[in-house]
Amino acid sequence: MAVLVQKFGGTSVADAEKILAAARKAIRAKLQGYQVVTVVSAMGHTSDHLIELAKQIDPEPPAREMDMLLSTGEQVSVALMAMAIHRLGHRAISMTGAQMGIYTDSTHTKARIRSISTDRIRQLLDEGNIVIAAGFQGITDTADITTLGRGGSDTTAVALAAALRAETCEIYTDVDGVYTTDPRLVPEARRVSRISYDEMLELATAGAGVMHNRSIEFAKRFSVPVHVRSSFSDLPGTIISWTPESRDVPVCGAAAILKEARITVRGVPDKPGNAAVIFSRLAARNIPMDMIVQNVAAGGRADISFTVFQEELPAALRVVEETAREIGAEGVTYDENVAKVSVVGLGMAKQPGVAQRMFRALADKGINILMITTSEIKISVLVQRDQAVEALRTVHQAFELHKEPPSVAEESRPEVVANDRERIIGRLHGMEDLVIESICLDETQGCVTLSEIPDRPGLAAKLFRQVADRNIVVDMIVQSVGREDKAMMSFTVPQGSYEEAMTACQAFAEEIGAAPPTGRPSVAKLSILGTGLKSHISVAGRTFQALAAAQINVEMISTSEVRLNVVVSGDTGRQALAVLRREFAPELIE
Ligand code: ADP
Ligand code: ASP
Ligand code: MG
């Protein structure tokens, strides 16, 4: 009998009436012939209230006790949901994470699932029960309760769907699907009929709170189709699978993280290893770094800027300030009023000029871009927080996301992907392990850097317009805050366009009063391809560290869930490739 996993989020089980409505949906699926597992979140804002309560006692409560506390929220809902199903005349049994055998690592409050033992659940399903599973929680092999991170019930649901080889995982929530951006922030947002795993993964990490990003890692890793739909209607929602909605539009969605903070470590002695120390210390404290940009070294020193979630700023500053002193950096500055706006789309990789279109639209609204990072299917900009919602709406409009795409993609799931997946999954030790698919080297590009750019809205748009006018295709772009309110920008171009790009930049620098451009006609870009490259927060630090140990300096980096790109000097490309393969994918070395 086919298994169906359904998940109801907090608002969908906020009171007794809603619990009964959710129970009816579960019963209906059972009557349609499915074996049903229903995952539930804590009721309404229970988790928020529990966190608030804990903070009244201790502003930084012990993580183990937080998990003990937070897991109670879901325990209440599973019991009530099972009661509701009984009341409606059907068999149901509630289970905590521990009872289901959801084993995790011991990273309290952000634990990762290692394994799920499905025997008990299968037995209960075979006995005719609807199994009501507590979302968001697990247990370590020393029997400590853990939680998976905010929003983690989605991950429980998709992980159970994977482990039980469910036909589909249905995510019932308070919107009727995945929208082109958060409809609460941008009312013109449009529901998409489908979206690919990679796009959803990037959007979720970029701030689209409708799905927990790690749930999409599971979905992709184990090919679980996810159907996001409304708890309050029977309308079809959005299917998350291998197939995008359209292959022709450059951007499928936009997202924002409204509460980011920027940290800059100034005057880091420019030798391989210094950046690595900073990043690996943050990773060791479980503090994820988001955008990362290194400014070119001046006088043997470099500035390194990165962003963290605003709530992690105090902890991040403690680590960074101590590390900065140790490595002899000049100091640390930060800005806690910034936000990140991103656009995502598989189609962007094939179309030039997407970044320029985004920068132009922002410039036209007078929105200043503080930092930029780009990767093949995502462009992110950092802006002042009070301009973030306007920036999100602006990019939504610029890419006409409110309109149906002109052509809809055919459903597809290449067989070769399926076979590759089996092989990759066979190598995993834990269900949530990092998946590395390949590591490759591109030796065809050069890199141009502009520094001391006056920090005014519109300059990025202007620069890339002039570059585009010369038919130069730009690949990676990074921009960061420099000193005295000046910005610095680097971008890569095909080697054949390098001279032309330098000429364009010279003219641009003169026009706007920036320093003359510098560049390297040949750089090496290394790409690590996989799944979860950002949510596994140690990946960037390990990349820096492995390269530093081989005395290779990282000149540019961009991180995304499905791809991490680093640029190093051209003559070190092959060595860097060997280093990264050894670090991340020894089994890929022939
Ligand atoms: P649940 O409690 O069901 O897990 P969440 O609050 O976690 O619900 O997620 C649903 C919310 O996600 C929506 O109400 C919406 O405001 C927000 N959201 C953010 N980005 C998107 C998006 N791209 N599409 C749909 N909803 C989004
Ligand atoms: N209750 C948890 C939270 O609020 C998990 C979830 O809802 O997904 O974060
Ligand atoms: Mg949620």
Side-chain angles (χ1 to χ4, degrees), residues 40-121:
V40 284
S41 292
M43 293 170 69
H45 297 289
T46 305
S47 307
D48 294 332
H49 295 152
L50 291 172
I51 292 171
E52 250 168 56
L53 190 59
K55 294 209 163 154
Q56 284 172 27
I57 299 209
D58 180 352
E60 292 190 47
R64 180 187 180 281
E65 304 312 328
M66 268 324 271
D67 281 351
M68 183 65 94
L69 180 69
L70 286 176
S71 65
T72 62
E74 272 66 12
Q75 199 168 330
V76 170
S77 336
V78 280
L80 294 172
M81 180 66 87
M83 289 174 197
I85 292 175
H86 286 162
R87 171 92 189 132
L88 296 170
H90 291 264
R91 294 181 63 173
I93 180 161
S94 62
M95 305 278 278
T96 64
Q99 287 174 317
M100 282 182 285
I102 299 191
Y103 287 96
T104 72
D105 62 21
S106 55
T107 320
H108 284 290
T109 76
K110 294 177 185 169
R112 279 187 178 271
I113 298 176
R114 284 198 171 138
S115 65
I116 300 182
S117 40
T118 51
D119 298 354
R120 181 87 200 278
I121 304 178

Side-chain angles (χ1 to χ4, degrees), residues 7 9-10 41 150-154 171 173 209-212:
K7 176 250 168 183
S41 292
R150 295 308 307 271
S153 296
D154 298 332
I171 302 287
T173 182
V210 62
M211 291 297 295
H212 193 227

Side-chain angles (χ1 to χ4, degrees), residues 352-363:
V354 180
Q356 196 244 328
R357 198 158 143 195
M358 177 169 180
F359 304 155
R360 176 80 267 151
L362 294 169

Side-chain angles (χ1 to χ4, degrees), residues 36 52 86 156 456 482 500:
V36 182
E52 250 168 56
H86 286 162
T156 306
R456 298 200 287 273
E500 186 80 18

Side-chain angles (χ1 to χ4, degrees), residues 2-3 38 48 54 69 75 101 214 216 228 235 257 297 305 344 366 426 466 485 505 539:
V3 175
T38 302
D48 294 332
L69 180 69
Q75 199 168 330
R214 282 163 43 197
I216 309 300
V228 183
L235 295 172
I257 298 181
S305 296
V344 169
Q466 294 183 5
D485 281 340
C505 285
V539 176

